[in-house]
Amino acid sequence: VRPAFAALARGIKLDWETPDKPSADDKKAQEYARTLFEDMEGGPDLLIETIASYVPFMGWGWWEVVAGVRNPAWRPPDKDDEWRSSYDDGLPAIRRLAWRDHASFEQWEADDKTGKVWGLRQHDWPNPPVVIPRDRSLHLKFGAPVNPVGLSPLESVWRVERIKYGLEMIQGIGYEHAAGYAKFTTAAALTAEDKTNI
């Protein structure tokens, strides 16, 4: 199913809408936003494929916005980062929308009164935990807009799998302990039907 979702997602194109009667500034902002996505590592296609591959199945996804400068001479402060802008206007850039894997999630940073999430605490062992603020991130949810983890259709599959696993454990323990140890006596002779049932 996942490759099918990813294949369908390749036909999706991201764009930025302007008001019905856009001003010159609106059109300029739209063009800047379009080039911003095209300039980032992997472009919008990588983002769309990652969204389609994870969000509908896991219920949510988190990407950190890694900033840069639109100047080919500018070098990222991170060692060995090969990203270079193809624009030379000195405006802010997005080097990449860095995917944060679910396995590195430690907890939500949220307001206790409102429940609104303001960040994600990531713990990518052996590195120390890091809080990634929401205002520097892209946080997508599937199926439940009020829940930070969305609503994953895999949740019901997981529950059934855990029930099956539990039954197998109980049956396995029962079979293991009954084999060669269980002794029964009957009050009367067993009929052929009794033996079949046993």
Side-chain angles (χ1 to χ4, degrees), residues 136-156:
R136 225 178 59 217
S137 305
L138 172 65
H139 177 206
L140 298 180
K141 298 168 275 187
F142 177 84
V146 295
N147 189 340
V149 294
L151 181 62
S152 169
L154 293 181
E155 193 172 333
S156 57

Side-chain angles (χ1 to χ4, degrees), residues 116-193:
K116 288 188 177 179
V117 170
W118 59 264
L120 172 143
R121 182 179 296 175
Q122 180 188 32
H123 195 174
D124 184 19
W125 186 262
N127 302 311
V130 175
V131 175
I132 307 168
R134 190 180 71 183
D135 61 4
R136 225 178 59 217
S137 305
L138 172 65
H139 177 206
L140 298 180
K141 298 168 275 187
F142 177 84
V146 295
N147 189 340
V149 294
L151 181 62
S152 169
L154 293 181
E155 193 172 333
S156 57
V157 175
W158 180 83
R159 286 176 178 164
V160 171
E161 192 277 332
R162 297 320 295 166
I163 291 169
K164 178 178 171 285
Y165 173 78
L167 287 172
E168 287 172 349
M169 289 294 293
I170 292 165
Q171 289 173 341
I173 292 167
Y175 294 150
E176 188 177 295
H177 286 281
Y181 296 104
K183 293 184 180 179
F184 302 94
T185 56
T186 60
L190 297 174
T191 65
E193 187 180 354

